[in-house]
Amino acid sequence: MGLNVIREMTIHDYDQMIELWSSIDGLALSEADSRQNIEMYLNRNSRLSYVYEAEGDIVGTILSGHDGRRGYIYHVAVKQEFRKQGIAQRLVDLSMGRLKEEGIDKCHIFVLDDNEAGQQFWSRTGWDKRSGFSVYSKDGAAPQSLEGPER
């Protein structure tokens, strides 16, 4: 058995990460996952995102950060042949521990409704599925006037 290691994610991992993410059913990618955007995210949220390497190949990832109040986890992914070995849980535990060190006590993850494997993982590992609210998104947030709508 070769060397397996968890280490902090860097932008130099991008090509292997995007290849892994693209291979995972239920993991949606967008412009937010461009190299430039991931680099900005990692710089803003240093020491919170990790990769799992097996003999030098990235086979697991977690992208994690916070806004000062809540933590957010994205792209927890493990290559199919490495699943059921506790890799995802170790990555989550590490990121959650780092978030706690930064004073973040609560964390969210968005899971697509049709991502059955993701739904099962998060439920099985003690995460509560939230209800009672909707998530709204908007691309290219335009600056809004602080004075209210024009009359």
Side-chain angles (χ1 to χ4, degrees):
M1 186 159 163
L3 180 63
N4 298 338
V5 64
I6 295 176
R7 63 169 177 77
E8 186 176 354
M9 182 184 287
T10 73
I11 195 58
H12 301 294
D13 300 317
Y14 183 80
D15 291 336
Q16 284 191 66
M17 292 184 317
I18 203 76
E19 182 179 339
L20 172 62
W21 296 341
S22 297
S23 74
I24 303 294
D25 288 335
L27 196 155
L29 296 174
S30 70
E31 182 59 30
D33 299 304
S34 71
R35 180 182 297 272
Q36 179 182 3
N37 288 337
I38 294 294
E39 184 170 24
M40 286 189 301
Y41 188 87
L42 293 173
N43 289 337
R44 183 174 182 261
N45 294 284
S46 65
R47 301 176 3 159
L48 296 171
S49 299
Y50 298 92
V51 297
Y52 185 96
E53 284 186 328
E55 298 192 24
D57 293 325
I58 294 174
V59 300
T61 63
I62 186 168
L63 191 61
S64 179
H66 67 84
D67 62 11
R69 292 183 62 234
R70 297 286 186 254
Y72 297 92
I73 291 177
Y74 305 95
H75 299 351
V76 175
V78 176
K79 205 174 206 179
Q80 186 68 41
E81 57 268 30
F82 288 86
R83 293 185 182 176
K84 306 291 185 195
Q85 299 177 33
I87 294 170
Q89 188 62 58
R90 288 194 300 250
L91 290 168
V92 170
D93 290 346
L94 183 57
S95 285
M96 291 291 290
R98 300 294 294 159
L99 286 165
K100 182 81 170 162
E101 289 174 11
E102 295 202 15
I104 304 300
D105 294 323
K106 189 169 196 169
C107 193
H108 301 294
I109 182 163
F110 298 99
V111 181
L112 296 175
D113 287 338
D114 64 353
N115 181 348
E116 288 184 34
Q119 299 280 347
Q120 291 173 5
F121 173 80
W122 296 107
S123 292
R124 185 178 67 247
T125 57
W127 289 65
D128 296 320
K129 186 173 184 178
R130 300 285 305 267
S131 63
F133 64 91
S134 299
V135 174
Y136 293 82
S137 299
K138 183 176 180 180
D139 289 337
Q144 298 289 320
S145 168
L146 297 177
E147 298 168 5
E150 290 186 30
R151 298 177 206 256

